[in-house]
Amino acid sequence: MKALVLDYGGVISKTPFEDWRNTEKALGLPEGSITITGPFDPSQDPEWRAMQAGEMTEREYWFQMMDRIGKMVGEEWRDMQTFIRRGRGNDPMINTRPEALATIQAAKAAGCKLAILSNELDLFYGPEMRQKLTFLDGFDTIVDATYTKVLKPDPRAFGFVTDALDMPAEDCVFVDDQMKNIKGGQAVGMNCVHFDVTNPAGSYQEVFEKLGIGLLQAT
């Protein structure tokens, strides 16, 4: 038996970078107003480069972006939940990657255990929003640093998952879009897939290969 351990933001949910045009519409901003590029063009995003270099945390990066966009519409947003709801609406399924849902379904059908390991699932989305992600009901455990206060790549975060699943790290396939977290997973012995948000289909193909699941099971 294996376990599929997924980060949420970027891996299951599309990144805000992929949806800026719809965010602009929701906020009443002219098209092209939001120019934050993140991993899609790091050369144009010094804060992203600083975060990747370890000079700020992922939370710090997103709070800076939230503050910047809030000021564009003359508002002061005090939490990421406001940013998510104002810019992305109240239906999180709209931004859920179809490749993620197919992979989750295939892994479940193949007998794999399922886990979420997130640094800020409820901090960013809120428990009310998470309740709308009905596919999460099929997960064996959700470890969220919103409550544990232990952020990836701290090895204790990975330990929470293996303890909850009652499985060794080497039987877990961990998927995350941040390299520092991948290195953390590798350090505790997990099989890791560094998720490329610019190529989600290719990344999920690698997940299938790590799990030993044929693609036909996802269709």
Side-chain angles (χ1 to χ4, degrees):
M1 182 182 291
K2 291 186 177 181
L4 176 60
V5 182
L6 299 171
D7 179 36
Y8 182 75
V11 173
I12 295 177
S13 176
K14 295 177 183 178
T15 64
F17 309 107
E18 298 167 71
D19 201 41
W20 285 143
R21 302 296 79 84
N22 287 328
T23 297
E24 289 164 349
K25 290 179 183 178
L27 296 175
L29 293 170
E31 184 174 336
S33 298
I34 303 175
T35 58
I36 303 166
T37 56
F40 290 87
D41 189 356
S43 67
Q44 300 300 312
D45 192 333
E47 290 86 1
W48 179 266
R49 297 197 305 274
M51 188 262 285
Q52 294 297 310
E55 297 167 6
M56 70 171 70
T57 67
E58 193 171 4
R59 287 186 181 183
E60 288 170 336
Y61 173 84
W62 281 112
F63 276 105
Q64 283 193 26
M65 298 308 103
M66 173 191 72
D67 184 62
R68 183 185 302 178
I69 296 171
K71 287 177 178 177
M72 292 174 69
V73 293
E75 298 177 10
E76 184 178 354
W77 296 338
R78 298 185 179 276
D79 55 68
M80 283 297 296
Q81 294 177 33
T82 301
F83 166 62
I84 295 293
R85 290 171 182 167
R86 289 281 282 115
R88 308 194 83 182
N90 290 313
D91 183 2
M93 288 303 297
I94 292 175
N95 295 304
T96 300
R97 298 191 188 279
E99 301 95 339
L101 296 177
T103 303
I104 291 165
Q105 181 180 11
K108 187 81 170 178
C112 297
K113 289 187 176 182
L114 299 172
I116 296 290
L117 177 56
S118 173
N119 276 354
E120 53 268 312
L121 178 56
D122 278 2
L123 179 70
F124 280 14
Y125 294 88
E128 299 85 3
M129 188 81 81
R130 177 163 53 86
Q131 290 174 2
K132 298 178 181 180
L133 300 168
T134 54
F135 65 89
L136 292 180
D137 294 341
F139 276 68
D140 296 280
T141 190
I142 296 176
V143 176
D144 183 0
T146 303
Y147 306 107
T148 68
K149 309 303 180 184
V150 179
L151 300 173
K152 298 172 289 184
D154 190 312
R156 292 175 296 167
F158 300 96
F160 293 147
V161 171
T162 53
D163 287 349
L165 296 175
D166 193 23
M167 294 181 70
E170 57 265 27
D171 288 339
C172 298
V173 176
F174 171 59
V175 188
D176 198 290
D177 62 327
Q178 294 298 318
M179 180 54 75
K180 65 179 183 297
N181 297 333
I182 290 297
K183 290 179 178 178
Q186 291 170 336
V188 301
M190 287 187 174
N191 297 287
C192 298
V193 175
H194 183 207
F195 192 87
D196 182 357
V197 298
T198 69
N199 183 21
S203 294
Y204 273 113
Q205 168 64 51
E206 187 177 351
V207 173
F208 276 107
E209 292 170 357
K210 293 277 189 182
L211 290 172
I213 298 175
L215 278 177
L216 289 177
Q217 289 179 269
T219 58

